[in-house]
Amino acid sequence: MKRYDQVAQALAQRIEQGQYRVGDRLPSVRALCRELGVSVSTAQEAYRRLEESGLAEARPRSGYYVLPRPTPNLLPKVSRPAQRPLDVSQWDQVLELVARSPEEDRLLMLGRGIPDLTAVSLRPLQRQLATLHRHVAAHGLNYDSLQGSLELRRQVVRLAAKSGCLLHPDDVLITTGCQEALSLALRTLTEPGDVVAVDSPSFYGTMQILKAQKLKALEIPTDPQTGISLEALELALEQWPIKAIQVTPTCNNPLGYTMPEARKRALVALAQRFDVAIVEDDIYGDLSFDTPRPRTLKSFDDDGRVLLCSAFSKTLVPGLRVGWMAPGRYRDQALHMKYVSTGASATLPQLAVAEFVQHGHYERHLREMVRQYRQHRDIMIAWVLRYFPPGTGVSYPQGGFLLWLELPGATDCVRLNEQLMGEGLHITPGSLFSASGKFRHCLRLNYAAAMTPSVEAGVKHVGEAVAALMDQERLEREVPGRLMPL
């Protein structure tokens, strides 16, 4: 950890412990230098990190002050999934979501997992792509190594070190997005009919991998702040022949939580005790609002049982389809699965991303996106609290750009989405994030792009539609068989 990160972490701990309260003035730069024996530049950088984390703000000619951290009054409840392995359904709804083009349908897509593609900090990547296409050498037109570009693997190793992983380029396999990495990992570990433990709710892409490979999902109760229940997982491991655990412990999709470090250590230890592999999805990890970036499960893995999967699809752009995995002890099997599925990944996108990272553009882009997404999170939460019915549970993401809502009662978000699409809006129903279609009363929103008046109007319209649907469903319950016009 860099010295300025240590200083920032020490100040953050003081804030969390109440030594500095909301509105308090923090020590001046010079006072901090004297107290901790650091340089002025180190103290200034530490305060900049606190600003990025939303813990402090600089006031002209006054100093740094502790900021309030707004949180929703009501969080989503801890999930209560079925206590047995299930076959995965919901493909038709997932297909309807991923096959839609917002440009063609002219829909305001409020629920898709797409980052801000208009960021100015992406321009160096666009220039590098253009240059590569104009002046590409024969290497760029040929198949690359099955394992992926060495230049990119070196950069992935450098980035992974920030999450506590000590990897070698030979430990890394470049994939066509994180979806392929997850698929390769699960295909490497399982056979049809096997049971995979997952957090609940869980990313619908993973659910569909289980469905395609004829695997059964065992959904484990999950807390919206601390993640998968280790107690419930331990009971499940004792009761069922679980072949793998698949989790997204950092900046989770869709709940947004980051598991505390102690629980991450405990999860890896639990997997070691039961001799089970872990498939870790870390695609949103670099977008954490905390400084320093949280450690991965892989960083605690000392026997190669964690298969770490990630991509640049959420931090940069999805269209390049550049992902990667560090499969640990399963490297050779995963490489074989890669060969029989897609072979080598496209060369030019790998080279462009490698250059973007190598020249420092990636870290500058991340800083800007983290600042933007944290600000947008608070704006979106404020809109939801303003426009949605009382009793709506709202997640408090610790990174990324996705918000999870739990509506009061049994409000049907599949039905809600069908209505909204006729009105130019699209949300992501919560039922996609479960093997059996649970969470039908939940939905996911995206706050990546600019928080424009049209987006606010869209969120307001969704909130009003929820209230109207709740009234309609109440009337239908009171008068069975009565259908009211939407």
Side-chain angles (χ1 to χ4, degrees):
M1 189 186 301
K2 298 289 181 63
R3 182 60 174 148
Y4 51 74
D5 282 330
Q6 294 174 340
V7 174
Q9 188 174 59
L11 289 169
Q13 288 176 347
R14 294 180 188 180
I15 293 171
E16 296 293 338
Q17 293 166 0
Q19 295 181 37
Y20 302 119
R21 299 186 178 183
V22 172
D24 285 354
R25 186 176 185 271
L26 292 165
S28 68
V29 169
R30 293 191 180 280
L32 196 62
C33 292
R34 288 193 299 270
E35 177 189 353
L36 300 179
V38 297
S39 66
V40 170
S41 61
T42 295
Q44 289 175 331
E45 180 64 17
Y47 272 128
R48 191 180 70 79
R49 294 300 175 106
L50 282 186
E51 288 185 281
E52 287 182 349
S53 299
L55 292 175
E57 68 172 354
R59 298 178 185 174
R61 296 185 296 278
S62 181
Y64 292 89
Y65 290 80
V66 179
L67 282 176
R69 301 192 73 171
T71 57
N73 293 327
L74 182 63
L75 291 166
K77 299 181 183 68
V78 176
S79 62
R80 299 179 63 184
Q83 298 180 1
R84 65 185 187 282
L86 298 172
D87 292 322
V88 176
S89 55
Q90 314 305 315
W91 166 238
D92 290 342
Q93 292 180 40
V94 173
L95 178 61
E96 187 274 332
L97 172 66
V98 300
R100 282 192 173 274
S101 166
E103 291 79 10
E104 293 175 4
D105 295 335
R106 296 185 179 179
L107 290 173
L108 179 57
M109 306 291 284
L110 292 175
R112 289 286 295 274
I114 298 176
D116 183 4
L117 304 182
T118 66
V120 174
S121 48
L122 287 173
R123 289 179 182 172
L125 179 62
Q126 295 171 321
R127 289 195 294 269
Q128 285 163 350
L129 282 166
T131 300
L132 284 168
H133 278 93
R134 285 196 304 269
H135 306 292
V136 65
H139 166 60
L141 298 177
N142 202 349
Y143 289 121
D144 208 319
S145 161
L146 177 62
Q147 196 168 346
S149 159
L150 178 59
E151 295 94 326
L152 180 56
R153 286 186 280 125
R154 285 171 173 160
Q155 297 308 315
V156 166
V157 166
R158 187 169 68 82
L159 294 176
K162 297 179 183 298
S163 70
C165 290
L166 299 179
L167 302 174
H168 185 276
D170 288 346
D171 298 329
V172 176
L173 172 60
I174 302 301
T175 61
T176 305
C178 190
Q179 185 72 6
E180 185 186 31
L182 293 168
S183 178
L184 293 176
L186 288 167
R187 288 166 59 197
T188 294
L189 297 171
T190 62
E191 297 178 356
D194 284 344
V195 177
V196 177
V198 297
D199 41 15
S200 177
S202 188
F203 170 49
Y204 54 78
T206 302
M207 292 286 99
Q208 294 308 310
I209 293 172
L210 301 184
K211 179 179 177 63
Q213 296 175 201
K214 296 181 173 56
L215 303 172
K216 293 185 179 296
L218 180 57
E219 298 179 65
I220 306 297
T222 301
D223 186 277
Q225 291 182 292
T226 59
I228 193 169
S229 168
L230 300 183
E231 298 76 16
L233 177 60
E234 182 175 11
L235 290 174
L237 287 166
E238 292 173 346
Q239 182 177 3
W240 301 100
I242 295 171
K243 292 296 292 290
I245 302 166
Q246 197 287 309
V247 287
T248 308
T250 307
C251 306
N252 176 269
N253 172 20
L255 286 173
Y257 65 80
T258 292
M259 285 184 74
E261 187 171 301
R263 294 182 67 82
K264 288 181 177 179
R265 287 181 183 272
L267 175 54
V268 174
L270 189 63
Q272 290 173 335
R273 180 152 67 91
F274 285 90
D275 194 22
V276 177
I278 299 176
V279 178
E280 179 180 12
D281 182 351
D282 191 57
I283 193 169
Y284 291 95
D286 282 351
L287 293 174
S288 172
F289 299 155
D290 293 328
T291 302
R293 181 225 192 278
R295 293 182 63 170
T296 55
L297 297 176
K298 183 69 174 176
S299 70
F300 303 114
D301 177 27
D302 57 14
D303 61 0
R305 73 178 57 250
V306 177
L307 295 84
L308 177 62
C309 303
S310 190
F312 295 92
S313 302
K314 308 303 181 183
T315 52
L316 296 179
V317 294
L320 294 181
R321 309 307 302 134
V322 177
W324 60 273
M325 66 186 301
R329 65 167 79 163
Y330 305 99
R331 174 185 171 277
D332 291 345
Q333 300 98 306
L335 196 60
H336 182 234
M337 290 295 175
K338 168 73 172 170
Y339 173 71
V340 299
S341 57
T342 60
S345 296
T347 304
L348 290 180
Q350 294 183 63
L351 298 177
V353 171
E355 287 189 23
F356 188 79
V357 177
Q358 183 179 4
H359 293 138
H361 300 303
Y362 182 72
E363 291 175 334
R364 286 191 286 274
H365 174 71
L366 282 183
R367 286 197 295 269
E368 178 59 26
M369 291 299 96
V370 165
R371 181 199 62 78
Q372 173 178 311
Y373 294 156
R374 185 192 302 109
Q375 183 183 55
H376 288 187
R377 174 200 62 187
D378 295 341
I379 293 172
M380 182 66 83
I381 287 176
W383 288 347
V384 169
L385 296 178
R386 184 183 309 160
Y387 298 126
F388 277 66
T392 298
V394 187
S395 67
Y396 189 67
Q398 297 169 48
F401 45 79
L402 301 169
L403 195 68
W404 182 255
L405 307 185
E406 184 178 67
L407 303 181
T411 310
D412 188 344
C413 287
V414 175
R415 184 178 180 184
L416 173 68
N417 190 48
E418 291 172 353
Q419 171 193 339
L420 291 172
M421 285 195 296
E423 299 165 355
L425 294 169
H426 193 286
I427 59 170
T428 303
S431 56
L432 274 63
F433 299 85
S434 167
S436 61
K438 283 179 64 67
F439 309 112
R440 207 173 173 95
H441 64 304
C442 299
L443 63 97
R444 189 184 74 177
L445 295 177
N446 179 311
Y447 53 81
M451 298 284 97
T452 62
S454 63
V455 174
E456 181 179 8
V459 173
K460 180 181 180 182
H461 187 87
V462 175
E464 292 170 345
V466 168
L469 184 57
M470 288 173 60
D471 289 341
Q472 178 177 334
E473 290 176 339
R474 176 177 54 79
L475 288 172
E476 291 173 359
R477 288 193 296 271
E478 292 174 355
V479 185
R482 180 180 180 180
L483 296 178
M484 303 293 292
L486 286 174

